[in-house]
Amino acid sequence: MPHSLRAATPDDIPRLTELLLLDAAERHAVDGVLWRLADDAAAQIEKALIFAMTAEQQPFHQFWQVAEEGGGIVGVIHSMLLPVPPIYAGRYGPPGLILPDSFVTTNASASVVGALVELAEAGLRKAGAQILLSSFVVGAAWQSAFRDRGYDPLTLYLARSDLKDRDTPSGVRLAVEADVAGIVARSADHRRHLFAIDPFWEIHPNADARFSAWMSRSLTLEDRDMMVIGSADDLSGYVIAQPASRLHFPPAHDISGIGVIDDYYHVELADPNALPYGCVGATALLRGAEAAFSDRGKNTAFVVCPAGWASKIEVLNAAGYRTAMVWSIKR
């Protein structure tokens, strides 16, 4: 059956809400804790769609596109221009990201997924994206479409649930202002390793100053915990346990019980390809972040990790984390 492709309009919102509820249910079936459905999931989806298609002031440029067959919508794809974090150079501008809340019905033609991916790519390229990213959680057809179009894993998102009653390991403590310089130094190490793994993470010339300012501000934010190991003049590692955001979780999901770990580094992880024996410090930092989440009533940790950082992945796997989402890159 031939299909047609076009940009979504506000008139499509009722049908898109139906499809995105089915999409969310697929993720929930894989992991009902991480991808917990909000009690008002349909209302949250509708609200997000209305804002995306009608609000004049948007935090980022996003796109909703659909496929039609037999007179109705059978597929939807969601994409955006991803803002570049200020510590990275971003010489190629904002990457284009295909988001996980994309869905095709079971009765759609087999070619619809690939056609939607191609459509999203064209829209992102037209908007100026020179680098394309895709996100994948479930759906063999989506995984195959991304692989066939030249996407390779860039970032893994690993998760572990059931974090109740965790204790902070000895030696792990909350950061204070005197620790900021040490955190910045360890972050600089972290950034150098990231760039060595993939030039996508090219470092901004003013990264240290920008990160230092952000760390000082982060100490004043009450929604996160910054934890370190070592004395202020000789920190060996740091971790920031912060709340989840909508960048990684579509609006149908309840993210109140999820904490995210992005900034996480210990000198034991200095070799991305091999671990020293034990990795006591790196694991202690991870457990400290888990305890911080537990104290805040969050039962799931979601950790960002480059796909090429084998030693960090090994630490996370040993601590019970498993890959829940993959971001891949097409240059």
Side-chain angles (χ1 to χ4, degrees):
M1 180 182 299
H3 58 255
S4 60
L5 305 170
R6 61 174 174 83
T9 71
D11 291 340
D12 300 321
I13 288 176
R15 175 56 174 163
L16 295 187
T17 300
E18 295 174 358
L19 295 182
L20 294 175
L21 277 172
L22 295 173
D23 168 60
E26 286 192 351
R27 284 186 294 274
H28 178 77
V30 172
D31 188 332
V33 177
L34 177 63
W35 303 108
R36 178 182 174 184
L37 294 176
D39 292 338
D40 58 346
Q44 291 300 322
I45 292 171
E46 182 180 36
K47 179 181 176 181
L49 288 169
I50 291 172
F51 179 81
M53 295 185 196
T54 64
E56 293 185 3
Q57 298 295 324
Q58 307 253 353
F60 48 80
H61 196 170
Q62 61 178 311
F63 311 87
W64 287 93
Q65 297 161 301
V66 299
E68 291 180 308
E69 281 185 341
I73 295 175
V74 296
V76 56
I77 195 162
H78 184 199
S79 60
M80 64 177 284
L81 291 180
L82 183 68
V84 178
I87 60 173
Y88 299 114
R91 71 165 65 192
Y92 299 108
L97 171 64
I98 298 174
L99 292 150
D101 49 346
S102 302
F103 183 78
V104 168
T105 62
T106 56
N107 64 339
S109 299
S111 60
V112 169
V113 168
L116 281 171
V117 172
E118 185 175 1
L119 177 68
E121 289 178 343
L124 291 168
R125 295 286 195 199
K126 184 177 181 181
Q130 297 184 51
I131 294 174
L132 299 177
L133 304 173
S134 67
S135 55
F136 171 77
V137 177
V138 294
W142 291 102
Q143 187 177 38
S144 296
F146 293 137
R147 184 178 58 246
D148 292 347
R149 295 188 65 79
Y151 288 84
D152 295 312
L154 176 71
T155 304
L156 306 183
Y157 295 83
L158 299 96
R160 178 177 182 175
S161 298
D162 197 16
L163 302 181
K164 289 183 179 180
D165 303 323
R166 297 297 175 111
D167 295 322
T168 303
S170 174
V172 178
R173 61 180 177 81
L174 289 173
V176 296
E177 184 64 35
D179 296 313
V180 169
I183 293 173
V184 172
R186 295 286 75 80
S187 173
D189 295 338
H190 187 202
R191 281 178 258 126
R192 284 192 291 271
H193 297 317
L194 282 172
F195 180 65
I197 290 170
D198 195 298
F200 173 80
W201 289 292
E202 182 179 2
I203 304 166
H204 192 280
N206 298 324
D208 282 356
R210 292 179 173 193
F211 192 71
S212 178
W214 176 239
M215 289 299 95
S216 292
R217 169 151 171 70
S218 293
L219 285 171
T220 70
L221 301 178
E222 297 183 356
D223 65 350
R224 65 200 60 204
D225 297 280
M226 299 170 58
M227 314 185 85
V228 296
I229 289 182
S231 62
D233 59 354
D234 188 27
L235 288 185
S236 57
Y238 71 101
V239 66
I240 301 175
Q242 61 192 45
S245 75
R246 286 300 171 197
L247 176 61
H248 302 114
F249 296 87
H253 300 290
D254 179 355
I255 60 175
S256 61
I258 302 171
V260 171
I261 299 171
D262 189 353
D263 292 295
Y264 165 46
Y265 180 75
H266 191 279
V267 293
E268 292 170 343
L269 302 172
D271 184 347
N273 298 308
L275 284 173
Y277 180 75
C279 272
V280 175
T283 300
L285 275 174
L286 186 62
R287 296 308 189 199
E290 293 174 348
F293 289 143
S294 177
D295 289 345
R296 290 177 179 270
K298 298 184 183 299
N299 62 356
T300 300
F302 191 69
V303 185
V304 184
C305 180
W309 203 318
S311 58
K312 185 180 281 192
I313 294 169
E314 185 176 340
V315 168
L316 291 166
N317 286 164
Y321 288 78
R322 297 295 179 264
T323 300
M325 182 165 65
V326 179
W327 280 20
S328 296
I329 187 168
K330 176 180 180 178
R331 293 175 173 85

